[in-house]
Each structure stands twice: as C-alpha cells, then as structure tokens.
Amino acid sequence: MKLSILFLLYLLVIVIVYFTGGTQFSYLHLIYIPILFSSIFFRIPGGLLGGLISGIMLAIMPLNTFTFQLQTTANWIMRLVFLVNFGFISSLIFKIITDQYNKLEQIAYYDIITTLPNKILLKRKLDELRNKKTKFSLISISVENILEILSLVGHSQSELVLKEISNHLNSFKENSNFELYNSYTFRFEFLLTNFGEQYIEEWTIEFIESIQNNPIFLDKSNDSHFFPSKL
C-alpha cells in the first residue's frame, strides 16, 4: 500500500513537471512531497532513496519540455545532492519526532517499572469490550502485605519487587485472551475474554494455589532473600 502511494505520487509529480514546461519552472518543487512521504513511511532509508530517485528522475527531465533544452551536468548533480540531503534530514526529523512520541506514549499508557499497560489502557479495553458486548472476566490482585515485604527486603528493592511480581504473574498467561495490567503501584488485573464461567473458576483456584505454594525469589543465588507470594 505504501509503495503504491509513493509510486503514484512520483508519477503524478513527474507528469505535472513535464506538462508544465520542465525543470526550470516552480512546479519542480512538488518533488518534495513524495520525498517527505518516503521519509515518513520508511524513515532514513526511505528518505535517502526517495531523494536519490527524485534526483535521477529530474535529471532526465529536460530543462524546457517545449524546446527540449537539456540541463547541464552540474545543474542536475547539484539538485541530486540537495534532494538526497533533504531526504536524509527530513527522515531524521521524523524519526526524532516518532521516537519522542513513543516515549511519551510509553509513559502515559504503561507502568514505568513493570512496563505493563496501566489503568488508562485497562479502562479503554473494558469500554471496547462492553461496546462489542464481548464476554470477559476481570480478576484484581493486590499485594496486601507489601509493608512487610518492603520491611524485609528494604525500600531500595521496591522496584525489583514490582518487577518480580509482574514477571511471576505474566507466567500465568496461557494465550492471547489473557491480558495483564498494572493499574496501581501494587495492584494488578487479569483480563480474560471469551472464557466460560467454569474455566474461569478452575483457573482462579489453580492460580491461588500456585501463588500460595510458590515463593517469588528476589535473588535466587541467596535463599534468604525472597518473600512469599501472598497476593
């Protein structure tokens, strides 16, 4: 789809430039449009290739299509260099903007420590399921003895505690219909979609038994440095 769009843009620009008189007229600057789209679609490789293709296409275009006056070699080489640099710079700018947007999105919708989706995405997902009338179950899990845990391991280890809890809970996801959210600092939610009541009940019982019988180790090399999974 993207390649088709770029092909049509390049073709359209070349046709316009040709039938408006050639490269000596201002319609030539329309070539920046497909280069920008190449940069947006394919980042730096796309920007460089887009600039190169544009330069070559305009190099074979006459300076004046009515008299078929050709361009000088220096003219089209300079334009080629300029367009390639334009493609590189524009793609670099788009990459920086996209990276910054992704960072902001990560902060806004995901927990910084566990990297799990937060309560905003959970609410959005629940609204979506309700609108589609999809059957779902929400299992909320909170760490009730967190003060005891932090007293045992030290507050400096709180981030490690969170990471280990999230990793442990992630291991219970059986397929894509299981989603885990970190709605608050020490509260998690399992969202299960399209499962029957019996399956949910059996899974919940197995989950509770596993949590009670299996500790979460903070440091497996040191058996004294762990806390029991009382969730």
Side-chain angles (χ1 to χ4, degrees):
M1 182 63 180
K2 293 178 180 179
L3 290 176
S4 298
I5 293 174
L6 289 176
F7 175 78
L8 291 175
L9 283 173
Y10 279 112
L11 180 62
L12 180 61
V13 170
I14 289 301
V15 170
I16 292 174
V17 172
Y18 183 86
F19 284 102
T20 54
T23 57
Q24 67 176 330
F25 299 102
S26 60
Y27 289 99
L28 166 73
H29 298 294
L30 290 173
I31 199 66
Y32 296 127
I33 296 175
I35 296 177
L36 287 174
F37 274 91
S38 298
S39 300
I40 294 172
F41 290 158
F42 302 108
R43 298 298 182 267
I44 292 178
L48 289 172
L49 185 59
L52 181 62
I53 292 174
S54 300
I56 294 174
M57 292 173 68
L58 293 178
I60 61 177
M61 178 77 66
L63 192 64
N64 189 312
T65 56
F66 299 112
T67 62
F68 282 92
Q69 178 185 355
L70 299 179
Q71 305 176 58
T72 63
T73 303
N75 184 61
W76 69 260
I77 289 178
M78 285 297 296
R79 182 182 292 124
L80 174 65
V81 172
F82 179 81
L83 292 175
V84 169
N85 278 279
F86 175 80
F88 172 74
I89 294 172
S90 61
S91 60
L92 185 61
I93 292 173
F94 282 123
K95 181 180 183 303
I96 292 173
I97 293 173
T98 302
D99 289 345
Q100 290 302 313
Y101 174 81
N102 290 337
K103 288 180 181 179
L104 292 175
E105 186 180 50
Q106 186 73 20
I107 294 173
Y109 299 118
Y110 296 86
D111 184 84
I112 298 176
I113 299 174
T114 64
T115 69
L116 291 173
N118 62 18
K119 60 181 179 181
I120 298 176
L121 287 184
L122 175 59
K123 184 180 182 304
R124 184 179 297 178
K125 182 68 174 184
L126 292 176
D127 290 340
E128 177 186 333
L129 293 174
R130 292 191 189 98
N131 292 333
K132 293 181 178 180
K133 296 183 179 180
T134 303
K135 186 175 182 180
F136 68 88
S137 298
L138 186 65
I139 301 174
S140 183
I141 305 160
S142 60
V143 186
E144 296 181 352
N145 59 333
I146 188 58
L147 293 179
E148 298 175 20
I149 294 172
L150 294 181
S151 176
L152 175 65
V153 303
H155 285 273
S156 61
Q157 298 291 323
S158 59
E159 289 190 7
L160 181 58
V161 171
L162 268 174
K163 290 178 181 179
E164 290 301 325
I165 291 176
S166 65
N167 291 337
H168 190 61
L169 294 177
N170 257 318
S171 65
F172 289 93
K173 293 167 60 176
E174 298 185 1
N175 54 48
S176 59
N177 288 338
F178 282 72
E179 294 182 39
L180 180 61
Y181 294 83
N182 189 183
S183 58
Y184 294 96
T185 304
F186 285 97
R187 195 169 107 187
F188 302 83
E189 277 82 17
F190 269 112
L191 180 62
L192 286 70
T193 56
N194 295 315
F195 287 109
E197 293 182 5
Q198 183 177 353
Y199 178 87
I200 297 295
E201 183 178 347
E202 293 175 354
W203 182 88
T204 303
I205 292 173
E206 292 178 3
F207 171 75
I208 294 173
E209 290 178 350
S210 179
I211 287 293
Q212 291 176 339
N213 297 328
N214 296 286
I216 300 176
F217 288 86
L218 292 181
D219 185 358
K220 294 182 180 180
S221 64
N222 183 356
D223 290 342
S224 64
H225 197 185
F226 71 92
F227 64 92
S229 304
K230 295 171 64 178
L231 303 182

